[in-house]
């Protein structure tokens, strides 16, 4: 009589559980190491960006004409370097992570979350701030965090799922601005395609570890400062809806303008893409003139104003 085939876990009791446990521990270790590294790198990136903005402000305070020269030169240099050396570093960073998270492990998307791409993005962002550009750190920090988390998982021989990309980006936001709730909210709002219970645990763990790492270095800082003040309830009931409507309309129009200029299928996207250096030069001149006219209020990340 033919002997029935027995599953491996019946022949070797406990082996299946041990293998699953080892895989889980590898994933937890990768998340822990990745989150710590993200906290360290995000804080370093924030410090570098702040120093670059401060140096630019000191320089322009002594020599206002620098506004008119620095932005055009820096913009052209950044576009030339990006197109030639790191084309995957183009864009704000958040759409790139979203695209990569939708096809985790895809060779076509691997460059978007590569360490080389993220480092170029960070360096070029600091260079843009040093030149007086009106640019923020949120998108680059998200791409940098996702790249670190994905790379660490690869080193630990753990498959990088969509949740890994989400956790890396959220941890970067939380560490850079000391905002753990913002990191979790970012994961839900921006990268919610793969959001599920297991991803939620991964995201919260990465956010907390990265945030604690950043606080251990920088202290319990409040990046945007502490604001005090109050308004009468009647004023609030009137002002809040007006501010919400005007803010939403302005944000929507701004998004439409950006999509028309650089979005897929945008009215002017193909024309601007055909002449990248000329476009960068014109944008640099506009930014430089605005910075000169506003005494630097439009330069940098905008956090100080």
């Amino acid at each position: 009589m033919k002997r029935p085939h027995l599953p491996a876990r019946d022949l070797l009791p406990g082996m299946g559980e041990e293998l699953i446990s080892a895989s889980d521990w590898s994933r937890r270790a990768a998340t822990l190491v990745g989150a710590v590294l993200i906290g360290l790198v995000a804080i370093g990136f924030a410090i570098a960006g702040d120093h670059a903005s401060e140096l630019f402000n000191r320089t322009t305070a002594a020599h206002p004409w620098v506004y008119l020269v620095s932005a055009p030169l820096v913009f052209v240099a950044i576009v030339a370097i990006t197109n030639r050396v790191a084309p995957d570093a183009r864009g704000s960073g958040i759409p790139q992570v979203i695209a990569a998270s939708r096809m985790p492990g895809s060779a076509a998307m691997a460059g978007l979350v590569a360490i080389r791409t993220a480092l170029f993005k960070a360096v070029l962002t600091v260079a843009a701030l040093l030149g007086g550009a009106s640019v923020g750190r949120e998108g680059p920090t998200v791409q940098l965090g996702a790249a670190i988390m994905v790379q660490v998982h690869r080193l630990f021989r753990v498959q990088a799922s969509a949740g890994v990309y989400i956790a890396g980006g959220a941890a970067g936001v939380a560490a850079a601005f000391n905002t753990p709730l913002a990191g979790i909210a970012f994961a839900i709002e921006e990268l919610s395609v793969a959001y599920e219970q297991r991803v939620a645990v991964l995201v919260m763990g990465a956010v907390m570890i990265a945030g604690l790492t950043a606080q251990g270095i920088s202290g319990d800082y409040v990046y945007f400062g502490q604001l005090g003040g109050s308004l009468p309830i009647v004023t609030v009931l009137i002002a809040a809806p007006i501010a919400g409507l005007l803010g939403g309309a302005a944000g929507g129009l701004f998004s439409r303008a950006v999509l028309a200029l650089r979005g897929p299928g945008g009215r002017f996207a193909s024309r601007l893409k055909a002449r990248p250096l000329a476009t960068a030069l014109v944008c640099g001149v506009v930014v430089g003139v605005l910075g000169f006219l506003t005494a630097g209020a439009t330069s940098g990340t905008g956090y100080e104003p």
Side-chain angles (χ1 to χ4, degrees):
M1 185 175 70
K2 186 177 180 181
R3 293 179 61 186
H5 175 72
L6 295 177
R9 63 184 178 187
D10 293 338
L11 293 172
L12 298 174
M15 177 174 287
E17 288 78 0
E18 291 177 3
L19 290 175
I20 294 174
S21 178
S23 175
D24 287 343
W25 277 112
S26 296
R27 183 175 295 279
R28 292 169 185 171
T31 302
L32 172 62
V33 174
V36 171
L37 289 176
I38 290 171
L40 295 173
V41 173
I43 284 295
F45 183 33
I47 293 173
D50 290 342
H51 282 311
S53 295
E54 291 173 4
L55 178 58
F56 177 77
N57 291 335
R58 290 198 302 269
T59 303
T60 51
H63 308 287
W65 56 267
V66 172
Y67 285 111
L68 305 175
V69 178
S70 61
L73 293 178
V74 170
F75 279 28
V76 171
I78 288 176
V79 170
I81 293 172
T82 301
N83 289 341
R84 181 176 294 272
V85 182
D88 287 327
R90 290 177 292 196
S92 69
I94 296 176
Q96 286 70 28
V97 174
I98 293 175
S101 67
R102 289 177 177 174
M103 291 189 289
S106 170
M109 296 293 178
L112 297 177
V113 288
I115 290 294
R116 180 175 181 271
T117 299
L119 291 177
F120 265 103
K121 172 71 69 80
V123 172
L124 293 177
T125 301
V126 173
L129 292 171
L130 193 59
S134 179
V135 62
R137 292 187 287 100
E138 291 88 346
T141 302
V142 169
Q143 194 169 7
L144 189 60
I148 292 173
M149 190 66 80
V150 170
Q151 184 61 40
V152 170
H153 274 69
R154 289 174 180 169
L155 292 176
F156 277 78
R157 300 177 183 271
V158 178
Q159 182 180 2
S161 63
V164 172
Y165 296 76
I166 296 172
V173 171
F177 302 100
N178 191 27
T179 51
L181 291 180
I184 296 173
F186 163 81
I188 297 173
E189 294 174 3
E190 299 288 357
L191 305 175
S192 59
V193 175
Y195 207 81
E196 56 189 25
Q197 184 175 2
R198 185 173 181 179
V199 174
V201 176
L202 179 65
V203 168
M204 286 188 287
V207 164
M208 294 306 172
I209 295 169
L212 290 173
T213 302
Q215 286 194 10
I217 297 174
S218 302
D220 189 14
Y221 69 101
V222 180
Y223 190 86
F224 292 102
Q226 295 180 346
L227 305 177
S230 62
L231 290 173
I233 185 64
V234 176
T235 304
V236 172
L237 292 177
I238 297 174
I242 295 176
L245 290 172
L246 293 179
L253 291 174
F254 174 69
S255 298
R256 290 289 297 270
V258 172
L259 290 174
L261 290 173
R262 296 296 297 164
R267 183 180 301 178
F268 305 100
S270 58
R271 300 178 186 176
L272 298 179
K273 188 176 181 179
R275 299 177 179 272
L277 297 182
T279 301
L281 180 61
V282 172
C283 290
V285 170
V286 172
V287 170
V289 171
L290 290 176
F292 179 80
L293 295 176
T294 61
T298 58
S299 301
T301 59
Y303 306 140
E304 290 292 338

